[in-house]
Amino acid sequence: MNEAYIAAKERWARRQSGASRPAPRPTSERIPSGQREVHNFPVLDLGVKPSIPRETWELRIGGEVENPVVLKWADFMALPQVRDTSDFHCVTTWSQLDMTWDGVLFLSLAELVRPKSTANHVFFKGYDGYSTNNPIEVCLDDDVLVAHSWNGEPLPVEHGGPARVILPKRYAWKGSKWVREITFLDHDILGFWENRGYSNTADPWTEDRFS
Ligand SMILES: Nc1nc2c(c(=O)[nH]1)N[C@H]1C(S)=C(S)[C@@H](COP(=O)(O)O)O[C@H]1N2
Ligand SMILES: [Mo]
């Protein structure tokens, strides 16, 4: 049994039973220091915007899990769907508030593959060759999802469609666009930006930008 996974399921059950989330910050306090608010949702990538038709799209989830899977688009869309609104902070100093995402909770994906007790980190790979890494408990938060829609519309290719990871409590580079592979690990591996001077923890509220 994976402790982080059990704890996340317990939190989720409490929330479903009516226990409310912590009160959101007032809007005036939702822009972390060193950030400015934008409304135009800028695009950031490595110069590649891979175009993956939904018919051939696959999401591989494996590593330190009991039940590795390869999800086709229909399998992914058949999983429990959630809508969550969160704020988005890019380390290049822009933040956009109230981004509404539809998709599948990371917790639901974990439920499907059942992380082993040894799993403590998660490595994400994108179809563009990008990668990023996070501790498992960060991924199991109840606002982390693999999103396929933004503000009610299918995610456009430039923003990571068909599907991308959203991890609102970290700088946005911690969420892979065009996600293709999610690997549970028993150790940490640095991703693309983490290997190039960016913080491994990436907390916008402490301006945790560089390593
Ligand atoms: N696959 C992939 N995911 C990625 C990136 C990337 O280049 N490739 N850039 C990251 C960075 S630095 C940010 S700020 C956000 C940007 O998302 P957006 O282009 O939708 O604003 O995606 C993150 N995820
Ligand atoms: Mo970014």
Side-chain angles (χ1 to χ4, degrees), residues 41-47 88-92 94 101 125-131 158-160 164 172-179 193:
F41 198 6
V43 171
L44 278 96
D45 54 47
L46 303 176
F88 191 99
H89 308 292
C90 170
V91 72
T92 61
W94 58 269
W101 305 100
K125 286 187 194 164
Y127 277 91
D128 59 342
Y130 187 79
S131 59
E158 67 271 23
H159 286 301
R164 73 178 297 166
W173 89 77
K174 286 289 187 180
S176 179
K177 307 205 294 189
W178 309 294
V179 63
W193 289 121

Side-chain angles (χ1 to χ4, degrees), residues 31-160:
I31 305 292
S33 133
Q35 298 289 111
R36 73 202 148 79
E37 186 176 1
V38 301
H39 300 275
N40 60 340
F41 198 6
V43 171
L44 278 96
D45 54 47
L46 303 176
V48 193
K49 293 175 182 54
S51 134
I52 312 105
R54 283 165 180 72
E55 302 78 62
T56 53
W57 180 91
E58 279 183 356
L59 177 59
R60 297 182 167 266
I61 316 178
E64 296 286 307
V65 301
E66 304 290 348
N67 178 44
V69 295
V70 180
L71 300 177
K72 306 272 187 204
W73 188 252
D75 307 324
F76 174 66
M77 295 305 281
L79 292 170
Q81 300 286 318
V82 295
R83 170 166 289 187
D84 192 71
T85 299
S86 56
D87 300 342
F88 191 99
H89 308 292
C90 170
V91 72
T92 61
T93 76
W94 58 269
S95 292
Q96 187 155 338
L97 303 183
D98 295 321
M99 308 283 258
T100 296
W101 305 100
D102 293 294
V104 175
L105 274 178
F106 183 91
L107 176 59
S108 299
L109 299 175
E111 225 157 9
L112 190 64
V113 297
R114 300 196 308 274
K116 294 183 180 171
S117 59
T118 46
N120 50 30
H121 286 82
V122 185
F123 195 73
F124 297 87
K125 286 187 194 164
Y127 277 91
D128 59 342
Y130 187 79
S131 59
T132 187
N133 57 297
N134 290 286
I136 190 170
E137 64 274 11
V138 168
C139 299
L140 287 166
D141 209 339
D142 66 7
D143 54 4
V144 177
L145 13 93
V146 175
H148 54 72
S149 296
W150 172 65
N151 290 354
E153 300 291 336
L155 198 55
V157 168
E158 67 271 23
H159 286 301

